[in-house]
């Protein structure tokens, strides 16, 4: 059984930084497409950043240059470093994954992912 567990969400002031973690179990990192999504109150879930095992990556324009996704295969973990946070970054952040590389160019779409975590809340407020 594949499990994804997010952590690291917190309250932070505008301009601050946070690093989210997603630990996995039962997931194969031989071929992967893995990413971070978020859902703000009253809004649809949106893709933030994603990366595949062959080096393909995607980023939403709203976070480009501020957020960085990384993978530590030895730790079976994925991270999202978030800098220069803004109030509009407030959301529940989800880690999601699939082993189907055909979806690597669609990895910012929720429908591309097979496995999901339960989310971690990030609040950006003064």
């Amino acid at each position: 059984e594949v499990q994804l567990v997010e952590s690291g969400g917190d309250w932070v002031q505008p301009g601050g930084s946070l690093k989210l973690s997603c630990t996995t179990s039962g997931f194969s990192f031989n071929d992967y497409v893995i990413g971070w999504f978020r859902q703000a109150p009253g809004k649809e879930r949106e893709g933030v950043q994603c990366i595949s095992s062959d080096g393909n990556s995607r980023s939403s324009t709203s976070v480009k240059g501020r957020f960085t996704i990384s993978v530590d295969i030895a730790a079976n973990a994925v991270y999202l470093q978030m800098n220069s946070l803004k109030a509009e970054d407030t959301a529940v952040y989800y880690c999601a994954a699939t082993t189907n590389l055909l979806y690597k160019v669609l990895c910012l779409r929720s429908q591309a992912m097979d496995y999901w975590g339960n989310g971690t809340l990030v609040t950006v407020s003064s």
Side-chain angles (χ1 to χ4, degrees):
E1 179 186 6
V2 175
Q3 289 188 324
L4 307 177
V5 180
E6 304 92 338
S7 61
D10 204 345
W11 171 83
V12 63
Q13 292 186 334
S17 298
L18 275 178
K19 186 174 184 178
L20 304 183
S21 300
C22 173
T23 56
T24 74
S25 60
F27 182 74
S28 171
F29 278 89
N30 290 330
D31 292 315
Y32 65 83
V33 181
I34 199 161
W36 288 93
F37 294 74
R38 68 185 181 185
Q39 187 166 18
K43 295 188 177 182
E44 293 186 355
R45 186 164 53 191
E46 64 171 345
V48 177
Q49 285 196 331
C50 53
I51 191 167
S52 61
S53 52
D54 60 358
N56 179 77
S57 64
R58 295 284 190 271
S59 179
S60 71
T61 55
S62 62
V63 306
K64 193 171 291 185
R66 299 189 298 121
F67 291 10
T68 304
I69 188 172
S70 61
V71 176
D72 185 341
I73 294 176
N76 292 322
V78 185
Y79 306 99
L80 185 68
Q81 177 66 48
M82 306 186 294
N83 299 326
S84 302
L85 283 160
K86 305 175 181 180
E88 52 263 42
D89 295 319
T90 295
V92 177
Y93 283 72
Y94 300 89
C95 175
T98 180
T99 56
N100 191 342
L101 287 179
L102 293 176
Y103 288 126
K104 64 181 181 180
V105 295
L106 301 174
C107 58
L108 289 180
R109 298 188 182 182
S110 298
Q111 298 91 328
M113 300 301 183
D114 294 317
Y115 308 108
W116 290 85
N118 289 326
T120 186
L121 177 63
V122 173
T123 303
V124 185
S125 171
S126 55

